[in-house]
Amino acid sequence: AAALRAASPAPPLRTAAAAEPAAAPAWAAGTAQPAGGRRRLTQAAAALHAAAGMLRREPAMASAARSLAARAEDLAGGRFTMALFGAFSAGKSSFANALLGEEVLPVSPHPATAAVGRILAPEGSFAHGTAAITMKRAEDFWEDILHSFSVLQLPPPQRESWTAAVAKLQTGGLHPSSLPHAGFLRAAAAGWEESGPLLGTERKVSLEEYRALVADEKRACFVQSTDLYYDSPLTRSGIVLVDTPGADSLHARHTGVTFGYMKNADAICFVTYYNHAFSKADRSLLAQLGRIKDSFALDKMFFIINASDLASDEAELESVRQHVAQNLRAGGLTSPRIYSVSSLLALEGKSRGVREAYEASGFGSFEAALSEFAGEELPRLSLAAARDSLSSVRLRAEEWQRLALMEADQREEGMKQFRQRREAADLRLAALVQEDRPLRDLRREGAELLYHVRQRIAFSFGRSFQESFHPSILREEAGNLKDIFIACGRELERSILRELEQELWATTLRLESAGRRFVTQAAAAAAAELSVPEQELQLLENPDERWPAPVKLDCVLAPMDWAGLWSRFKSPRHFFEGPGRAEIRSAAEPWFKEAVGAAAEAQEQPLLTFYADAAAAALSLAADRLREELSEREAAMSELLKGGDSAQHWGEIAGELRLQEQAFDDLVDSHL
């Protein structure tokens, strides 16, 4: 690796917006391949738009036209979001630079930086090399200040004097996990005069200013999010790269933000550094990925061992892979896709055109896998769902054609029977909206899910206690043992609270899945009673429609009196080698069970009510769509009674839709 770097010529310098976008060498253009999947989805969207345009002229196909048009819009979105997760020191920035093929991001952002950063293709008024900076709102920033003071066991400051309080801050006796909060407060105080007036604003900046902003802790800590518009083979292919805050950042309390990217990103890359052990925060993040992996339609997770060029040989590298795999399995990730890469060599290879460096980096296998996923696996799902919708519409047209070919007296009898059923149908659909069985089933399943949350948290208490009261922290030479003991207790509280929140966020996915299942079952039962063909359900429901999600979870644990337990602590040796730890753990366990039970119970009814309301809204929407389908059926049958060329007309429509289906099949067969 060193020889390759030494032999490489110096990279060309680029100025921000003025430089021409770099073109990746053919052998290093793996991440450009998702553009193929994007093109197929765009072609599929055009076919659906064409079919929808044809059907808009038919009153009996109005809902079908809207359904196809909605699917077309979904397919034509054109973006593929890849979220990066990992500790701040894992090399996410260098990994992102290797993906981009240029040194775009500063490679050592400070751990106190907790903004979400996106990198995407230029669009609208944002040219190559410009960035949109969104500053925190004043109230959100103040909440961050209060939270950090609380973590540091300090009384809440006054708004007009918090910087003076920070100047007096002492870090002795703090738990190591609290130190980023001290760093955040000092950075915020140092940058307050410059950045305080900018809170709540949005502005456009140059690439140079963007780099200076994200690399300067005292400015970056005021930033909510950044969007960098940068033209590269990666962004040109439709990929939006999202750099999430470090797993161990001071904003780990914002579990909902992290969860949202886990849930909604098209792909997830978890980056760990070659010679770094997995931190507690890393394991927590991996556990959350393990909790929600089964809710994904595809395995969208990639695990990256960065800086693999530090390995002395292949055997050493393999031992690191095994270590990473073991930690992933402990988090419930049993079949992970692991890639060992050197971001440094990949960047040198791409930016300087040195093929040997790129091939030595190991980046090729990762980019090939990413291309396969983004360009083949993911589009396959969307194309299959779109084709099913098209088939459903074609079957409806063929049904109208069959009815038109019947004898006139048969059509009249069918219309008579249909109108006789309409009154009963209206009653059935009104009952569907009021149906409480799906909501009862959802509440029952939700209560069971939340019971298991409490059980899993209870099982984890011993591990959390051991990690928080660790011999590397609670030791004789550390200073004020009482303060450190209390700090360990507070860290235990924060650990339990984070785990509870993560469990509850994961449960929201299970509640949504259960709600969708119960609503679908109820709608299918109503459709069967109304003699609505089974294939029509493809048009009545859209699995891509997102249910609402809670904005945040307000979990609060009743604090434990750790100062009161201090009297039972005799010495670190008695605690770790004698019975001390077991005694204090036994004393803390009743508090733990009561506090977690109360916190979970406080969230249970709001969550169950939230998803019961969402299910009720989905039932109402299903009833409206069934009602519209019946009205369209009646309109079609009325037209068929007039005779004329109805059979030929519907036959021509069915024929056009068959051609569109064939185009879909050709699109799929030729590329997937």
Side-chain angles (χ1 to χ4, degrees), residues 476-494:
E476 289 286 0
E477 62 273 21
N480 191 329
L481 280 176
K482 181 178 180 180
D483 287 348
I484 296 174
F485 175 84
I486 294 172
C488 289
R490 297 291 175 235
E491 171 59 19
L492 175 61
E493 292 177 17
R494 289 192 295 273

Side-chain angles (χ1 to χ4, degrees), residues 515-539:
R516 286 182 182 273
R517 184 173 71 252
F518 294 138
V519 168
T520 299
Q521 290 169 351
E529 290 180 34
L530 300 175
S531 301
V532 174
E534 184 177 347
Q535 69 268 12
E536 294 290 336
L537 295 177
Q538 289 284 343
L539 299 173

Side-chain angles (χ1 to χ4, degrees), residues 559-577:
M560 174 69 184
D561 181 15
W562 296 105
L565 279 182
W566 168 246
S567 61
R568 306 190 185 196
F569 185 91
K570 295 181 173 59
S571 69
R573 183 171 183 178
H574 177 264
F575 186 85
F576 292 110
E577 299 178 19

Side-chain angles (χ1 to χ4, degrees), residues 302-319:
F302 300 82
F303 298 93
I304 309 298
I305 302 172
N306 203 3
S308 62
D309 54 314
L310 296 178
S312 58
D313 53 37
E314 184 59 35
E316 181 180 305
L317 183 57
E318 180 57 30
S319 70

Side-chain angles (χ1 to χ4, degrees), residues 46-72 386-398 400 536 539 628 632 635-636 649-658 660-661:
L48 290 184
H49 272 306
M54 175 182 65
L55 296 175
R56 285 193 186 97
R57 300 188 295 268
E58 309 297 330
M61 289 288 195
S63 63
R66 284 200 304 275
S67 177
L68 293 183
R71 284 201 178 275
R387 191 195 184 286
D388 287 344
S389 293
L390 201 56
S391 297
S392 299
V393 178
R394 188 254 307 161
L395 289 171
R396 183 187 288 190
E398 290 176 347
W400 299 151
E536 294 290 336
L539 299 173
E628 183 176 25
E632 291 176 354
H649 176 69
W650 288 112
E652 290 172 353
I653 290 177
E656 286 291 333
L657 291 170
R658 273 193 294 273
Q660 296 288 6
E661 282 185 88

Side-chain angles (χ1 to χ4, degrees), residues 15 20 106 123-124 203 206 217-218 263 273 478 532 540 550 602 631:
T15 58
E20 288 296 321
E123 62 180 28
R203 66 190 195 278
S206 67
E217 178 192 9
K218 68 179 182 294
K263 175 184 176 182
Y273 200 68
V532 174
L540 294 175
S631 296

Side-chain angles (χ1 to χ4, degrees), residues 132-138 140 194-203 213 219-226:
I133 307 297
T134 301
M135 305 296 284
K136 293 176 182 177
R137 297 185 311 155
D140 293 335
E194 175 189 354
S195 298
L198 298 175
L199 289 172
T201 65
E202 297 180 11
R203 66 190 195 278
L213 179 66
R219 300 173 69 195
C221 66
F222 291 86
V223 174
Q224 181 69 35
S225 63
T226 64

